[in-house]
Amino acid sequence: MPGLLADANIEGQCLVLLNILQSEFWRDVWQELRVTVCHFADLKLSKHVSDLKLWRACQDHDLVLLTGNRNLEGEDSLEAVIRRFNTPTSLPVFTLADPVLVLRDKRYAHLVAERLLERLIEIEIYRGAGRIYLP
């Protein structure tokens, strides 16, 4: 099972989602998956790392990147990196469709957590997909 890396711009949202996934309702499934949650410091990455270095670090360390949405413009953007370097075996990037709503709406946060869990359970079918929006 790949690990999970929360982008620097959504650490709060990731905590909300992890609290939901570790709650009584989802705890058994979450623990069975044994998803390792990593942080930028674990990989010795700056919070201002380029999208290319971040994407490559995730692929090299078997981590799914959870992001609120990185830069969409230019040849160095995460979207450009995915389009240029993605292969059929690359792990996808999970992008929160509405990061602010994860913090403001408990029902929405639960929906996002459920979708995240579903995608992680079936991660092998999402390899090569590039970017997956949650929910």
Side-chain angles (χ1 to χ4, degrees):
M1 172 61 59
L4 186 66
L5 176 67
D7 201 348
N9 65 346
I10 59 148
E11 290 173 344
Q13 289 87 339
C14 188
L15 285 175
V16 168
L17 298 174
L18 289 175
N19 284 334
I20 293 168
L21 293 170
Q22 294 169 353
S23 69
E24 185 177 344
F25 189 78
W26 294 113
R27 185 178 303 127
D28 291 342
V29 177
W30 180 251
Q31 288 177 346
E32 187 176 317
L33 285 178
R34 295 186 173 162
V35 175
T36 302
V37 178
C38 293
H39 305 277
F40 275 49
D42 299 328
L43 303 175
K44 296 179 175 50
L45 293 173
S46 160
K47 291 187 178 196
H48 304 289
V49 65
S50 73
D51 291 352
L52 175 59
K53 285 183 182 178
L54 178 59
W55 186 84
R56 283 195 171 149
C58 287
Q59 299 304 315
D60 292 345
H61 294 280
D62 204 31
L63 298 169
V64 173
L65 176 63
L66 180 64
T67 185
N69 209 355
R70 288 192 147 238
N71 178 9
L72 293 174
E73 297 177 7
E75 61 186 47
D76 295 332
S77 71
L78 182 57
E79 188 62 32
V81 167
I82 292 169
R83 289 179 184 175
R84 191 172 32 212
F85 297 106
N86 195 47
T87 71
T89 60
S90 297
L91 285 167
V93 172
F94 291 156
T95 301
L96 300 178
D98 193 334
V100 174
L101 203 53
V102 170
L103 298 174
R104 292 187 180 167
D105 185 327
K106 188 175 182 178
R107 285 189 342 206
Y108 183 77
H110 278 264
L111 178 61
V112 173
E114 184 177 341
R115 294 296 182 268
L116 174 60
L117 190 60
E118 290 170 353
R119 300 309 182 268
L120 287 171
I121 288 170
E122 299 179 329
I123 193 64
E124 293 307 314
I125 68 171
Y126 293 104
R127 284 189 181 268
R131 186 188 295 264
I132 306 290
Y133 284 90
L134 302 174

